[in-house]
Amino acid sequence: QVQLVESGGGVVQPGTSLRVSCEGSGFTFISYAMHWVRQAPGKGLEWVAVMSSDGNKKYGDSVKGRFTVSRDNSKATQSLQMSNLRGEDTAVYYCAKGRSGWPNDAFDLWGRGTTVTVSS
Amino acid sequence: DIQMTQSPSSVSASVGDRVTITCRASQGITNYLAWFQQKPGKAPKSLIYAASSLESGVPSRFSGSGSGTDFTLTISNLQPEDFATYYCQHYNTFPHTFGGGTKVEIK
């Protein structure tokens, strides 16, 4: 079964760090770019980051310098290390699979999301 | 950054109606445009990529068109399961910006 499963969400205080992960199954993980998208409560979708199959990384403006994307192809897992978290980072974080290994391509599969709440 | 503007922000329609949603990019993106459907409390679902290509398993009543800066998503013969929020997204350059969403509601 082709799927993505996120994990690692939780409640954290402002200024702290958190790592969320996404495990893929049912497809050749190493061959595809993997993205992160987030959705704040009651708001629309915001693209966060991507890591291509060859390791190229790109970030959205609001997270650049604070978030780092990585992947472990041997475990079919990508991770998003979030540091210096702010209240506006509170959101459901989704991972999404690209249609190819290239970072400028559409998504074809989404995970169910993991919730990150930043609050004192 | 490229801005994506969707209209309308909401639309009321009845089962069987034809609904058209538009998405305008602040600069040309050729056909690097995708559409997604999201139901409350659920993850988004990919519907269309490359402006007009239907994802596998998506009903043929969904169609997309456009190129450059202006795009449309059309739902023909609206079904009860189609009431949801729809988003466009470009993937031409970084960041891959989403539109603000269009909520399709039951009239």
Side-chain angles (χ1 to χ4, degrees):
Chain A
Q1 182 182 3
V2 179
Q3 65 177 359
L4 298 170
V5 179
E6 300 94 337
S7 61
V11 180
V12 296
Q13 294 189 333
T16 62
S17 299
L18 187 68
R19 185 182 189 92
V20 293
S21 297
C22 169
E23 182 176 1
S25 59
F27 62 97
T28 306
F29 187 86
I30 195 172
S31 298
Y32 296 94
M34 298 297 296
H35 298 253
W36 288 98
V37 174
R38 69 183 182 183
Q39 187 169 36
K43 302 297 185 182
L45 301 171
E46 179 186 10
W47 180 83
V48 173
V50 63
M51 187 167 180
S52 67
S53 61
D54 65 356
N56 188 16
K57 305 175 186 180
K58 298 291 185 183
Y59 299 94
D61 294 340
S62 62
V63 307
K64 203 172 294 184
R66 299 188 300 124
F67 288 14
T68 301
V69 65
S70 62
R71 60 194 291 165
D72 182 343
N73 291 323
S74 68
K75 297 180 179 179
T77 298
Q78 73 154 353
S79 297
L80 184 68
Q81 179 68 43
M82 303 179 288
S83 61
N84 191 20
L85 283 162
R86 308 166 180 166
E88 53 264 38
D89 296 318
T90 295
V92 176
Y93 285 74
Y94 296 102
C95 67
K97 170 185 167 290
R99 295 185 60 84
S100 70
W102 191 43
N104 287 67
D105 205 348
F107 312 152
D108 62 1
L109 180 68
W110 294 70
R112 292 186 175 182
T114 188
T115 300
V116 174
T117 302
V118 183
S119 174
S120 55
Chain B
D1 297 358
I2 297 174
Q3 308 304 316
M4 306 300 292
T5 303
Q6 275 184 246
S7 61
S9 57
S10 66
V11 58
S12 294
S14 300
V15 172
D17 283 354
R18 179 187 182 97
V19 171
T20 299
I21 299 168
T22 65
C23 181
R24 175 165 289 176
S26 59
Q27 58 187 270
I29 57 171
T30 61
N31 69 335
Y32 284 47
L33 192 283
W35 290 97
F36 306 95
Q37 176 193 67
Q38 188 179 34
K39 297 180 180 179
K42 300 295 186 181
K45 173 185 175 183
S46 297
L47 296 177
I48 287 171
Y49 64 98
S52 60
S53 297
L54 215 59
E55 285 286 352
S56 175
V58 174
S60 58
R61 62 181 179 272
F62 290 90
S63 63
S65 65
S67 183
T69 60
D70 294 313
F71 302 86
T72 61
L73 172 70
T74 300
I75 313 171
S76 304
N77 187 22
L78 197 67
Q79 295 298 298
E81 60 268 29
D82 301 336
F83 292 96
T85 299
Y86 294 85
Y87 295 92
C88 63
Q89 182 208 26
H90 88 84
Y91 49 95
N92 185 58
T93 57
F94 295 104
H96 293 349
T97 320
F98 287 88
T102 297
K103 188 174 184 179
V104 178
E105 300 175 298
I106 301 172
K107 183 183 282 184

